Amino acid sequence: MKIALVHDYLTQRGGAERVFELLCKRYPEADIFTSLYEPQKTIDLGERIVNTTFLQKIPGAAKNFRLMAPLYFPAFRALDLQDYDLIISSSTSFAKAVKKKPQARHICFCHNVTRFLWDTETYLREYGDYRYFAPLIEKVFQMMRNVDLKYSQEPDLYIANSSVVARRIQEIYGKNALVINYPIDTSNFVFSDTKDEYYLASARMISYKRLDIIVEAFNWLGWNLLISGDGPELERLKSKALSNIEFLGHVTDGKRKDLFSRAKSIIVAALEDYGLVPVEANASGTPVIAYGAGGVLDTQIPGQTGVFFKRQTPDSLQAALLEAQGISWNYEKIRNHAVNNFSEQAFFSKVEQIIDQSAHMYHSFI
């Protein structure tokens, strides 16, 4: 069975890209497709050939990949995947649009419905000029929503990373989705039961991550906070932060591994669709303090692996931080929770059962 692996764009290294990296490692003979590829800024694919679209030839497209939004659907439709029996797409937006031959199967790992189309105001809030162009952008996005709905019918099967995302797929695309919590590579994280006197936030610096809440809470508490990551919100956040808060920018995987293992807790203030960071924290033996909605409801056990705060406000986060200080954390138990429930072995045992079923359907068809 010939397999194609397809991802929206490989121009950054976020949670969706890390899941795609695992799929690429699991299927070393599969061919890889994406719209744009910038190898220095994304997952390590070694010597694998990465097939791209016509967008790769546009100067500056990889750097300004968000501005290419209206072109992604035609770019993916232009890919020739007629030789493949199984297409596995990894998508928050466009890769689900690829065409297949009639007897092939298309399984879509859907990290979310297309966020910037269906939650536009939240997603684009950090771009200050957005409000000036909102009427024009809305007209373009309305056309794109219609296209998104059309191509959302292409996959034969959706796999959602959380129950929250499964509900969105059903509500917006009208498609049922299986829920399989996405894994982490537990070998990439080191366990430590010795914690240093700092808290950690690790996220892309865009508005929906709500790093502003974390900065305000720690300004008031005066506790040591490290923030890793980069993005358009960086300078604004720096201007609000006091001296107890340090911005690390982009960090290497090795540095990130060390930071996760030694932090007192890792803070997540976003409403995440799934969120790999909390699971990665647990794999390091580190508890999570998270906004109690979305994907963390699938991955965290309050009082054992983390603490939830009820509202996205500095006061609510401060209360959770103080509550966490009163808990005697069992760091080994936190680590075991992640390994037992979110390892690659647990994930792929479910995925390969689905792929075996798809292969059986393919052979029955031909």
Side-chain angles (χ1 to χ4, degrees), residues 85-342:
D85 309 309
L86 175 64
I87 297 167
I88 301 175
S89 64
S90 163
S91 181
T92 57
S93 45
F94 309 107
K96 61 181 177 288
V98 292
K99 292 188 292 187
K100 64 181 179 64
K101 61 185 178 183
Q103 67 269 36
R105 295 281 289 171
H106 179 178
I107 298 173
C108 178
F109 286 82
C110 186
H111 312 291
N112 197 1
V113 298
T114 310
R115 181 188 287 274
F116 74 90
L117 294 180
W118 302 104
D119 191 12
T120 303
E121 185 174 349
T122 299
Y123 190 84
L124 296 180
R125 185 167 50 196
E126 73 268 15
Y127 300 98
D129 293 335
Y130 164 63
R131 63 185 182 277
Y132 300 116
F133 301 100
L136 174 61
I137 291 174
E138 179 54 32
K139 289 181 180 179
V140 174
F141 280 12
Q142 186 53 53
M143 290 188 291
M144 291 184 67
R145 288 184 194 108
N146 293 333
V147 177
D148 191 44
L149 286 174
K150 175 183 176 181
Y151 292 144
S152 70
Q153 306 306 302
E154 291 288 336
D156 299 292
L157 175 66
Y158 277 96
I159 295 176
N161 53 12
S162 71
S163 53
V164 171
V165 171
R167 284 196 296 271
R168 289 181 191 154
I169 293 169
Q170 174 61 51
E171 291 168 359
I172 294 176
Y173 296 154
K175 302 280 281 187
N176 292 325
L178 295 176
V179 176
I180 302 179
N181 295 138
Y182 289 177
I184 59 168
D185 184 347
T186 53
S187 66
N188 282 341
F189 299 90
V190 293
F191 170 75
S192 175
D193 57 5
T194 301
K195 305 300 180 182
D196 290 348
E197 288 300 317
Y198 68 85
Y199 293 82
L200 177 67
S202 177
R204 284 174 293 154
M205 295 192 181
I206 53 181
S207 65
Y208 90 87
K209 296 293 186 179
R210 300 311 310 267
L211 291 165
D212 57 324
I213 294 171
I214 303 175
V215 168
E216 289 186 44
F218 277 83
N219 278 345
W220 183 84
L221 289 168
W223 298 352
N224 293 331
L225 172 69
L226 303 181
I227 303 178
S228 69
D230 209 341
E233 289 272 275
L234 176 59
E235 293 305 318
R236 187 179 76 86
L237 291 168
K238 279 185 174 180
S239 71
K240 296 170 68 103
L242 298 181
S243 60
N244 58 302
I245 301 173
E246 182 180 355
F247 292 84
L248 305 176
H250 174 74
V251 298
T252 65
D253 286 349
K255 177 66 173 176
R256 187 173 184 269
K257 180 192 306 185
D258 184 57
L259 289 168
F260 270 55
S261 69
R262 295 187 296 108
K264 286 177 68 69
S265 292
I266 290 178
I267 318 298
V268 178
L271 171 55
E272 294 286 6
D273 312 310
Y274 176 55
L276 287 175
V277 166
V279 181
E280 292 171 339
N282 290 166
S284 308
T286 302
V288 175
I289 299 173
Y291 174 50
V296 292
L297 300 180
D298 288 352
T299 64
Q300 299 299 306
I301 304 173
Q304 296 185 33
T305 67
V307 172
F308 293 152
F309 54 99
K310 297 179 180 179
R311 299 178 305 281
Q312 287 178 304
T313 64
D315 288 348
S316 188
L317 171 54
Q318 288 164 15
L321 285 161
L322 293 170
E323 179 186 344
Q325 275 208 323
I327 297 175
S328 296
W329 298 105
N330 185 328
Y331 300 124
E332 187 173 356
K333 187 173 182 179
I334 292 172
R335 161 76 174 178
N336 290 339
H337 167 75
V339 172
N340 293 337
N341 293 284
F342 306 106

Side-chain angles (χ1 to χ4, degrees), residues 37-82:
Y37 180 46
E38 196 165 9
Q40 294 80 16
K41 293 188 176 181
T42 190
I43 56 178
D44 182 9
L45 294 171
E47 299 300 316
R48 299 277 286 274
I49 295 172
V50 178
N51 301 281
T52 57
T53 67
F54 64 78
L55 296 178
Q56 189 75 20
K57 298 179 181 179
I58 299 176
K63 181 178 180 181
N64 301 289
F65 63 95
R66 291 185 179 89
L67 298 180
M68 301 293 108
L71 301 177
Y72 283 114
F73 282 129
F76 277 105
R77 294 300 285 177
L79 286 175
D80 183 6
L81 301 182
Q82 294 302 301

